[in-house]
Every structure is written in structure tokens, then in C-alpha cells.
Amino acid sequence: MCMRYLGFVLLLWCPGVLHAQSAAQPCRAPVLKSGFFFPKQETYSNESNLSYACDNGHKPAVQGWWATSTCQNGIWSHKPQCIGEKSCLPPTIPNAKYTEASNGWYKEEHTIRITCDKGYIPKNNAITAKCVNATWVSVPVCEKNVRVCSAPSEIPHAVIINQEYKEVFDEDSEVQYECEDGYTVEGGSTKSIWCTAGNWTVGPSCNKTTEPDARRCGSTGSSTSSGSNKGECQITTISNCGRYPSVQNGDVVETHRKSLRYQCNSFYRLVGAEGVVCYSDGKWSEVPTCKAAFCALNTEAHPELAPDGVKHIKDGESMQVRCVDRWRFENHVVARCTDGELTMTRCCNKVQINTNIC
């Protein structure tokens, strides 16, 4: 009596043990029409295998003239089946999807219709395949759209943020990256690249952050703490250098006790260090410059565009511009400025869009 209670208590404390023992179920012998299997038994223990072959005029529903199946917790994997010898197994079509047969195979004369994955288009607009005498004929091909981009190349000392990795990016896709600690973006704060006509724009690089170094004083009569007029100048308070240096198309946006920070006006990009310091010889460190960072698009110089004057586009940015006829052509194009170079998509009419040639 005590032993019975003890066994009951053990089951209450170890229910997982009981579940594990009952989880692995045996399999019943499969029903196999137009075929035979070995070994022939009424039940099969979990993980046991059987082999089967089919009668004349039939074949297994997998590759080969014979096949094996495994009992996995009460279910045969795969299910033994004998199908007509002219039937087709599922085709492999890279970068495409189609409706899968519920029984895992297709009768002769069956036609499937494919849909290409995002970023791919059907070659020659072919989207169907037909099962003929156990072979798929006219199998379509999904080729990469020339206007989409592969995954962006590795950027030294940077990582792509807020975007999962994928092999194909649509045109006009934008990805942002962040520089590694100790590195900063060259030429400003832009940290994005865009997919344009099958290629990624060239973004700024991540360069190692450097602080202004002390420099050598010239023979200007200034002296260092050692008394030598050609010793190493020290960084001192900005009041010792007097008037702030002028930067065309830029201005001082921050002042600190020992440094100035410059920023360029809109449509200009900073070249050089944004920080400027004062040296003990009364001279400023090297001052940055502001380089033009925009493209000018004269819509009146493009007959396919609706005349709307000159459009200014910042470097690294894009703008939608209307086509001349919204009914005949696509409503707008995308104009992008990359390193001072202007690129545009095309104004496409409806026929070109529908035939994937635009």
C-alpha cells in the first residue's frame, strides 16, 4: 500500500518523465496502393524505417524507383505513396513561389503559375510550367530586376542599423549606418546610402576621430614654456587668437573656452575638422571649408518633365519631379543628387510599365 502511494507521489513530482515516455508513438503499417513495402509488419516502433517500391506504371512520390520512410512519433515521414509514372514531382524554381499540391505531386498535364519574389521579374514574361510525361516543360525563370540592388557592401568601421539583412533591396531603398565608437562620419552627419538604378550611392566613410594636435611654432617671436621660439605650441583659450576665422558659406555654431565649432549653410558640406582651436603663438588651427553639396535640375531643359523652374537637391537626397503628361506617362520620376552628380529615373508610359521594360 505504501509503495503505491510512493509511486503516485513520484508521478506528481515528475510529470515530464511520464510525458517523455508516452511521447514517442509507434506507427501503423501504411496503406500503399500499387506498391509493396518491407519489412511487412502491423506496427513499427518510433524511428524505425521501411523501404517500398511500386508496381509497373507507377513510381514513388519522391526521387528514385524505390524509397524509404521513417516512423516519427506515430507518423510516416514521408508518407509512402505510389503515383503514375507520368506524374511530376514539385519543381525547383529559384526566387519564385507557386501553389503547392496538397498530396506532394502533380498529375500529367497539370499547369502551375509562378510569382517571382520581390526584386525579381519573370524572364520574357513567362510565368507557367506544364507537367508532360513526368517532366516540367517551359519552366519559367525569375531574374533579378536590373533596377534593384544586392545587399550593400561592407562599410569599414560601420554597421547598418534599423534594417534586417536581405539579399535584394528595391530601387530608392535607403539604409542608414552608424560608425564604430572612436570613428566619425567624414564630411558631416549624413549616414545613409540609396539604391539607384541597381547600384548603391557612395556614402561618406567612417574615419578615426582625432583631436587637434599641438603644432610647431614658427619664427614669429612667440615662445613656449621652454623659451624656444621653435618649440611645440600649446592649445590655449580662444581669446588669445582674437577675431574668429571666416568660413565662406559657413559659420561658428558653438564656442567653448578652448575651441570653436563650425557648421556649413544648407546645401553645403563641411570639409576638414569642424573644431578649430587657438595655439599659444596666437594662431588658429586649420580652418574647415564648405563645399557645395547639391545638384541643380532645370526642368525646362528636359522635355519629358513638367516645366517648374530650377530645382535644388541636396547631396545624398532625392526629389520627385512630375512628368509632362500624367496620363500618358508615369506621374513622376525620382531625381537624386550623389556627390554632385544628378541621376533620374525615366518617365514611363503604361505599356512600358506593364511589360517591365521601364
Side-chain angles (χ1 to χ4, degrees):
M1 188 69 172
C2 291
M3 291 299 292
R4 288 183 182 177
Y5 285 126
L6 178 59
F8 179 70
V9 171
L10 287 174
L11 288 176
L12 289 176
W13 276 94
C14 307
V17 175
L18 180 62
H19 176 74
Q21 292 175 344
S22 62
Q25 300 293 322
C27 293
R28 292 181 177 275
V31 176
L32 183 63
K33 295 181 179 180
S34 304
F36 57 95
F37 54 87
F38 181 86
K40 197 172 180 70
Q41 301 171 190
E42 290 186 1
T43 59
Y44 298 79
S45 60
N46 186 54
E47 299 297 334
S48 60
N49 299 322
L50 62 76
S51 299
Y52 73 94
C54 299
D55 301 337
N56 288 338
H58 294 79
K59 63 182 179 181
V62 292
Q63 290 288 351
W65 64 267
W66 85 95
T68 60
S69 184
T70 303
C71 174
Q72 293 184 345
N73 194 24
I75 299 175
W76 288 106
S77 179
H78 65 279
K79 179 183 177 182
Q81 290 184 85
C82 288
I83 62 177
E85 61 182 358
K86 293 185 177 182
S87 299
C88 289
L89 301 178
T92 299
I93 307 178
N95 308 308
K97 296 181 179 65
Y98 57 87
T99 303
E100 297 182 2
S102 58
N103 55 11
W105 54 277
Y106 302 84
K107 292 182 179 180
E108 188 182 22
E109 301 296 321
H110 184 88
T111 298
I112 60 171
R113 180 182 297 268
I114 65 101
T115 301
C116 292
D117 294 340
K118 194 172 184 180
Y120 293 83
I121 57 175
K123 186 176 182 179
N124 300 324
N125 291 323
I127 58 173
T128 60
K130 188 175 183 179
C131 175
V132 178
N133 194 22
T135 302
W136 291 101
V137 296
S138 302
V139 178
V141 174
C142 289
E143 58 185 5
K144 183 182 174 184
N145 190 333
V146 295
R147 303 192 71 84
V148 303
C149 294
S150 302
S153 301
E154 182 177 355
I155 302 172
H157 306 293
V159 63
I160 301 294
I161 60 174
N162 301 326
Q163 172 65 64
E164 292 183 358
Y165 175 86
K166 55 184 180 179
E167 294 183 352
V168 176
F169 289 78
D170 288 336
E171 187 175 24
D172 294 326
S173 293
E174 175 188 1
V175 297
Q176 293 184 326
Y177 63 90
E178 189 72 30
C179 292
E180 177 185 356
D181 286 346
Y183 290 79
T184 55
V185 174
E186 174 192 13
S189 59
T190 302
K191 298 181 182 180
S192 295
I193 54 177
W194 290 265
C195 173
T196 300
N199 295 293
W200 290 103
T201 58
V202 179
S205 58
C206 293
N207 294 331
K208 194 170 184 63
T209 304
T210 56
E211 295 294 335
D213 293 327
R215 62 175 178 81
R216 296 288 175 179
C217 286
S219 55
T220 60
S222 61
S223 62
T224 64
S225 58
S226 63
S228 171
N229 64 356
K230 289 192 177 181
E232 188 177 80
C233 285
Q234 304 297 316
I235 295 174
T236 184
T237 57
I238 60 176
S239 59
N240 290 330
C241 284
R243 190 173 181 178
Y244 299 164
S246 175
V247 174
Q248 187 176 8
N249 299 309
D251 206 350
V252 175
V253 291
E254 287 183 14
T255 59
H256 301 280
R257 184 170 175 268
K258 290 188 176 183
S259 67
L260 307 173
R261 189 173 77 84
Y262 285 81
Q263 189 176 66
C264 294
N265 299 336
S266 184
F267 294 98
Y268 288 85
R269 178 168 62 90
L270 192 77
V271 177
E274 64 179 14
V276 175
V277 297
C278 175
Y279 289 118
S280 55
D281 65 350
K283 292 186 177 182
W284 295 101
S285 63
E286 186 175 356
V287 179
T289 59
C290 290
K291 178 182 177 182
F294 65 90
C295 298
L297 170 61
N298 185 0
T299 58
E300 297 179 2
H302 297 267
E304 73 276 17
L305 300 180
D308 194 21
V310 178
K311 301 291 185 182
H312 292 90
I313 308 171
K314 286 185 179 181
D315 195 40
E317 295 186 0
S318 62
M319 176 185 294
Q320 290 187 352
V321 186
R322 290 188 303 111
C323 295
V324 69
D325 186 346
R326 63 172 301 186
W327 298 111
R328 181 180 175 190
F329 291 101
E330 188 179 14
N331 191 28
H332 67 270
V333 299
V334 177
R336 186 180 300 283
C337 181
T338 306
D339 293 332
E341 183 178 348
L342 181 69
T343 57
M344 287 194 307
T345 57
R346 295 169 53 192
C347 285
C348 300
N349 60 40
K350 294 180 180 179
V351 174
Q352 292 173 318
I353 295 173
N354 292 335
T355 55
N356 293 306
I357 64 174
C358 182

